[in-house]
Amino acid sequence: MTMSPQVPAHDGPPPVRFAFGRWTWKEVAHLLANLPMAIVGFVYTVLMIAIGVGLAVTVVGLPLLAAGLQGSRLIGRAERARARKLLGVVVDEPSPPARGRDGDGFFVWLWTSLRDPVAWRAALYSFIRLPWGILTFVVTLVCLIVWPALPYAARLMGNADRAMVRGLLSPSDDLERRIAELESDRGVVVDTAAADLRRIERDLHDGAQARLVALAMGLGLAKEKLTDDPEAAARMVDEAHGEVKVALQELRDLARGIHPAVLTDRGLDAALSAIASRCTVPVSVRVDLPGRPAQAIEGIAYFTVSELLQNVSKHSGARTASVDVWRTGDRLLIQVGDDGRGGASMDGGTGMAGLAERLDAVDGVFVLESPAGGPTTVTAELPWRDRGAEKSATRTRSA
């Protein structure tokens, strides 16, 4: 998203006085630096295009042009940094060049580099800047002599530079910004999946695995005592039987934490009712859905409610809570409320920030309302995708 330049509140020229403000001097510095930067960019762009196009009939021409376009991206990045520092205009960094999958090879890189719109716009920016750089350099030098005209000329030419940066060096359109958002969301999803795997490994190692090791040792001792002391061996077998039951329960809890069977078999209504029955406060559950959403959306909704009800049990001090799930248009809405003490926050160590990141990774929305003294209401919104459409897409990919 392009931000407005961080210049003084009025956009007109500053008042004429001997001691100009810092923004005037920053604009002057930017305008004087235009000429050397324009010369470098112009020479680079002309040589890159001339050599690349001139040698296009040979093997090395197009690869040289593709590599040169990546250099134009670097020039564009430097110009954005200079405008940010001296003109106060901040634009989003464009997304990195598109990359093929591993193993796609040299020709995929060549094609994506040659059709990179960000690089071509940066090259165009460098090409047209030479006459403008000469003009701004000369006019600024003259205005340093004709002192009263300096702030007016600096502001006028500085605004023209801001318009050029926004027009040619900002992300091309909403698609560019969307790509950047999706790349950020992909990182969140990968980190979340890695954290879940570590949690499962830790639970297996510290819980069921340790209990099964102790069970094996106990049965081994019982086997040794079987002939010498049958009664002691029988007691040890009884203890081992109890350990087996506890281990099985831990494995069931772990499997429920990965993906509960009731969610797969009976859907959100039954699964959320099962979560509510384990909460330490009475919870009313209302699910009004015309059908079942896609498995991924259903799973995120389930674990979102599960995490929120755990927070109700541990932190809220509530007497009652409620869970409402319904569909509006192409969105699945979840609302979890309680009449507890309130005061919950996104950075309070209750996992709210992690939930917000998970929902944001799938174009969801997470809103927390929790004034001091309560009540607390959390509203989560997810995109609705039909389960049948998801299966059709899976079959298409498999084919």
Side-chain angles (χ1 to χ4, degrees):
M1 179 175 62
T2 304
M3 299 175 62
S4 57
Q6 300 172 359
V7 293
H10 59 282
D11 202 27
V16 178
R17 58 181 183 272
F18 182 81
F20 300 129
R22 65 187 183 94
W23 278 110
T24 297
W25 289 114
K26 284 188 173 185
E27 289 169 336
V28 168
H30 185 275
L31 295 170
L32 291 175
N34 272 349
L35 181 58
M37 292 295 295
I39 292 174
V40 172
F42 182 84
V43 171
Y44 176 85
T45 302
V46 169
L47 288 177
M48 172 194 70
I49 295 177
I51 294 174
V53 174
L55 297 177
V57 295
T58 68
V59 176
V60 298
L62 293 180
L64 284 176
L65 181 59
L69 287 171
Q70 302 310 305
S72 293
R73 267 184 168 262
L74 297 179
I75 293 177
R77 181 184 301 174
E79 287 291 338
R80 282 190 295 273
R82 187 166 70 99
R84 185 181 304 116
K85 183 71 174 178
L86 298 177
L87 296 181
V89 56
V90 181
V91 296
D92 290 340
E93 288 293 329
S95 59
R99 299 182 182 275
R101 295 167 297 180
D102 293 341
D104 280 346
F106 168 77
F107 289 103
V108 173
W109 168 83
L110 179 64
W111 174 246
T112 55
S113 298
L114 290 177
R115 59 192 297 269
D116 183 5
V118 174
W120 281 111
R121 288 201 315 276
L124 176 62
Y125 179 88
S126 299
F127 184 77
I128 66 175
R129 291 282 292 180
L130 183 58
W132 175 251
I134 296 173
L135 176 65
T136 57
F137 184 82
V138 172
V139 172
T140 304
L141 284 181
V142 172
C143 289
L144 285 172
I145 300 172
V146 186
W147 193 261
L150 181 60
Y152 298 93
R155 178 58 50 81
L156 181 63
M157 293 186 292
N159 284 341
D161 265 330
R162 292 182 180 101
M164 289 186 194
V165 171
R166 292 194 194 100
L168 292 175
L169 298 183
S170 63
S172 58
D173 50 25
D174 292 338
L175 180 59
E176 281 286 332
R177 286 185 284 274
R178 180 60 177 156
I179 290 172
E181 291 174 3
L182 289 176
E183 288 176 344
S184 175
D185 292 344
R186 181 180 61 182
V188 172
V189 171
V190 171
D191 292 342
T192 300
D196 288 340
L197 287 175
R198 288 193 297 270
R199 176 183 59 82
I200 293 169
E201 180 184 11
R202 183 180 63 251
D203 291 344
L204 282 172
H205 182 271
D206 297 341
Q209 179 180 340
R211 195 171 296 278
L212 290 173
V213 170
L215 174 63
M217 294 175 61
L219 289 174
L221 292 174
K223 181 181 178 180
E224 293 178 358
K225 291 181 175 291
L226 187 59
T227 56
D228 299 336
D229 191 353
E231 293 183 359
R235 288 194 301 271
M236 297 178 71
V237 170
D238 287 338
E239 293 175 359
H241 185 253
E243 289 290 323
V244 168
K245 292 181 178 179
V246 175
L248 287 174
Q249 184 59 45
E250 290 183 352
L251 289 173
R252 290 193 193 97
D253 293 339
L254 182 59
R256 186 184 297 116
I258 298 172
H259 195 84
V262 65
L263 179 63
T264 302
D265 298 337
R266 300 173 58 191
L268 271 176
D269 195 352
L272 297 184
S273 297
I275 296 175
S277 67
R278 297 193 296 270
C279 188
T280 58
V281 302
V283 181
S284 63
V285 178
R286 291 182 292 273
V287 178
D288 182 15
L289 296 176
R292 295 184 62 177
Q295 291 182 1
I297 300 301
E298 193 174 61
I300 293 173
Y302 172 85
F303 288 110
T304 298
V305 174
S306 176
E307 183 73 22
L308 291 174
L309 289 183
Q310 286 184 32
N311 286 337
V312 170
S313 297
K314 295 177 182 178
H315 308 292
S316 70
R319 295 186 300 274
T320 61
S322 63
V323 176
D324 293 281
V325 182
W326 71 99
R327 177 183 176 181
T328 300
D330 60 349
R331 308 295 285 181
L332 173 66
L333 277 80
I334 304 166
Q335 193 168 78
V336 178
D338 67 72
D339 59 357
R341 65 176 66 95
S345 64
M346 298 295 286
D347 55 354
T350 57
M352 297 290 188
L355 285 176
E357 288 180 353
R358 289 194 182 195
L359 267 66
D360 184 63
V362 292
D363 290 337
V365 178
F366 186 88
V367 179
L368 171 65
E369 298 177 9
S370 183
T376 296
T377 303
V378 177
T379 303
E381 184 178 325
L382 290 164
W384 178 278
R385 292 200 295 269
D386 290 324
R387 182 165 295 232
E390 179 189 52
K391 292 179 179 177
S392 298
T394 302
R395 286 195 297 270
T396 301
R397 288 194 297 268
S398 299

